[in-house]
Amino acid sequence: MLFIRTFIVRKHERGLLFKRGDFVGFLKPGLHRFVDPLRRIDVELFDLALPLFQHRLQDFLVKEHRAEVDQLFEVVKTGPAEVALVFFNDQVGEVLGPDRRALFWKDVIDITVDKVDIAEDFELTPRVAKALVRPGAMIMAAVFARKVPDGHVGLLFVDGELNGALQPGLHAFWKFERDVDIDFVDLRINALEVTGQEIMTRDKVGIRINLTANFRIVDALQAFKAVKLPLDFLRSEILFGLRAAVGTRTLDVLLEDKGAVDREVFDHVRDKLAEIGVEVRGIGVKDIILPGDMKEILAKVVEADKAAQANVIRRREETNATRSLLNTAKVMESNPVALRLKELEALEKVADKVGNISVFGGLDGVLNELVRIKQ
């Protein structure tokens, strides 16, 4: 018949019946016929495979048809400091933030609700965190999650304030009504390079120094509560100690013992950094860079110093040789045999360099004439 309209609600569906735009009631599965010659009846169908019920008349239905709503829906409402975890067949399906209300269809999917008070403790349990943060999860908008790597500590900031330290592992927090952030701090031994520092020595020579500091953050929470940027604080204290160590020494003293600067800077920095939870393991000067003109002057000074040392050594050797000759002469003066042996030695040296020798008066004459010529 033209005046009869038929609507079919399947077993996995529910329907909302409207007449002239006004809600009339809920339709359960089955065949529904209505006399509607003017076509003023409408039916909206909902698939129960999608448990969340979203409709413009949701609040109206809860208020005016509460008995039917409680029969067909799981009504979930959260307080001002509550979060509701809605499980679909034991799997997290929806998360409701504070002051929210939602309706979920019953029957086809098993609906369970777990409410969490986040007024003070807003960190998720490990089980819930893994369920929400797993790849493909669709609830990430409600959760802030970070995994703290091994050898690090995580600093938790809530609304810009340092709230605590987090050990390595996965950590997740509800983002409702809060601004949550996590910074990672490396607890392993690190090196800080301080390069190109212009410093004046005691004798007014401008030099540049490069040094390295090895350090380790022992208590990250204490360090970041004490100072905003611990590494900048370490760098500034190193510079203060370096200027004090270099400014009280001349260039010559500085170049002779660079280790003294290391020790003085280390002593200056160690106790101050220990107070904020940072352990300084060692500080060492890598390079001392001189100005170009100072390099030339220093090279000339070194050259002159080495030349003077060589001259002193040469004079000392000449003096020793002269003293040895004088001692030999004294021995010969008192010992004719020694003098004769020395003459024979000299004659041997002369004969070794001469090809032919003509002798007159015999060997004794040669020796006597030789001695006479020397005298």
Side-chain angles (χ1 to χ4, degrees):
M1 297 178 63
L2 297 177
F3 297 152
I4 302 298
R5 298 188 63 194
T6 302
F7 298 93
I8 299 175
V9 180
R10 296 174 178 83
K11 294 180 180 179
H12 65 278
E13 295 177 334
R14 298 293 184 270
L16 271 65
L17 177 62
F18 294 88
K19 187 174 183 179
R20 295 181 180 179
D22 287 336
F23 175 76
V24 176
F26 295 95
L27 299 181
K28 293 184 178 182
L31 186 65
H32 302 273
R33 291 186 174 91
F34 302 96
V35 177
D36 185 21
L38 299 179
R39 305 185 68 85
R40 294 174 177 176
I41 294 177
D42 293 309
V43 174
E44 295 183 13
L45 297 178
F46 293 87
D47 190 346
L48 300 189
L50 303 175
L52 180 61
F53 174 72
Q54 294 178 312
H55 198 276
R56 67 187 186 281
L57 298 180
Q58 175 177 308
D59 294 336
F60 168 78
L61 297 176
V62 171
K63 183 177 180 180
E64 300 296 334
H65 300 269
R66 186 57 189 254
E68 291 180 277
V69 167
D70 289 340
Q71 182 182 2
L72 295 173
F73 297 96
E74 183 73 38
V75 181
V76 181
K77 189 177 187 310
T78 58
E82 283 185 332
V83 171
L85 294 171
V86 183
F87 293 86
F88 302 159
N89 295 332
D90 296 328
Q91 298 292 328
V92 179
E94 291 288 340
V95 174
L96 296 184
D99 290 325
R100 288 281 309 280
R101 180 171 60 191
L103 279 62
F104 300 90
W105 293 104
K106 293 181 180 179
D107 296 337
V108 174
I109 294 178
D110 185 19
I111 306 293
T112 56
V113 180
D114 184 11
K115 291 186 179 181
V116 181
D117 187 353
I118 62 171
E120 298 295 336
D121 186 8
F122 53 95
E123 183 173 6
L124 281 70
T125 62
R127 181 182 70 87
V128 176
K130 290 181 180 179
L132 296 183
V133 181
R134 71 182 188 277
M138 302 176 62
I139 321 295
M140 291 300 296
V143 177
F144 178 87
R146 288 290 186 276
K147 187 174 183 180
V148 180
D150 189 29
H152 295 68
V153 67
L155 296 180
L156 175 63
F157 291 87
V158 180
D159 294 331
E161 294 184 2
L162 182 59
N163 186 271
L166 306 175
Q167 297 305 311
L170 177 64
H171 298 270
F173 302 88
W174 297 111
K175 295 197 295 187
F176 301 111
E177 309 297 331
R178 293 179 176 87
D179 181 18
V180 182
D181 196 11
I182 297 176
D183 286 343
F184 299 146
V185 178
D186 195 340
L187 299 181
R188 298 169 296 183
I189 298 177
N190 285 279
L192 177 65
E193 300 288 340
V194 182
T195 59
Q197 299 306 310
E198 298 281 351
I199 302 177
M200 191 76 70
T201 63
R202 184 179 178 182
D203 49 353
K204 307 304 180 185
V205 178
I207 60 175
R208 292 172 57 197
I209 294 183
N210 300 327
L211 55 80
T212 301
N214 295 324
F215 69 96
R216 183 172 71 91
I217 297 179
V218 179
D219 190 336
L221 194 60
Q222 179 184 356
F224 281 84
K225 280 185 176 180
V227 295
K228 183 178 181 180
L229 298 172
L231 294 188
D232 288 349
F233 179 74
L234 172 59
R235 185 189 302 274
S236 63
E237 289 298 328
I238 289 175
L239 294 180
F240 293 152
L242 184 62
R243 293 184 186 281
V246 174
T248 56
R249 289 174 169 82
T250 63
L251 179 61
D252 292 340
V253 173
L254 184 64
L255 295 177
E256 288 176 2
D257 187 8
K258 292 190 294 184
V261 176
D262 299 344
R263 293 187 295 271
E264 187 170 336
V265 176
F266 177 75
D267 292 339
H268 173 82
V269 171
R270 177 183 52 191
D271 295 337
K272 291 187 177 182
L273 270 296
E275 294 175 357
I276 66 170
V278 179
E279 178 187 6
V280 181
R281 307 293 293 270
I283 294 179
V285 174
K286 295 173 59 178
D287 302 303
I288 297 179
I289 304 174
L290 302 176
D293 54 349
M294 183 54 63
K295 289 181 180 179
E296 296 178 1
I297 295 173
L298 188 60
K300 292 180 180 179
V301 170
V302 172
E303 182 181 357
D305 181 64
K306 296 301 181 182
Q309 292 180 11
N311 189 43
V312 169
I313 294 173
R314 184 169 59 254
R315 296 303 181 188
R316 186 184 301 119
E317 294 299 325
E318 291 177 354
T319 301
N320 292 336
T322 303
R323 185 178 294 110
S324 177
L325 289 175
L326 180 60
N327 293 334
T328 302
K330 289 182 179 179
V331 171
M332 291 180 180
E333 182 180 8
S334 59
N335 193 336
V337 175
L339 177 60
R340 179 58 64 180
L341 289 174
K342 193 67 176 176
E343 291 173 350
L344 292 174
E345 181 182 348
L347 182 61
E348 181 183 5
K349 291 181 179 180
V350 172
D352 186 56
K353 297 180 180 180
V354 176
N356 297 315
I357 299 178
S358 298
V359 177
F360 299 95
L363 184 59
D364 290 338
V366 173
L367 294 177
N368 291 333
E369 289 299 323
L370 178 62
V371 172
R372 187 175 64 79
I373 292 173
K374 282 187 175 182
Q375 291 176 346

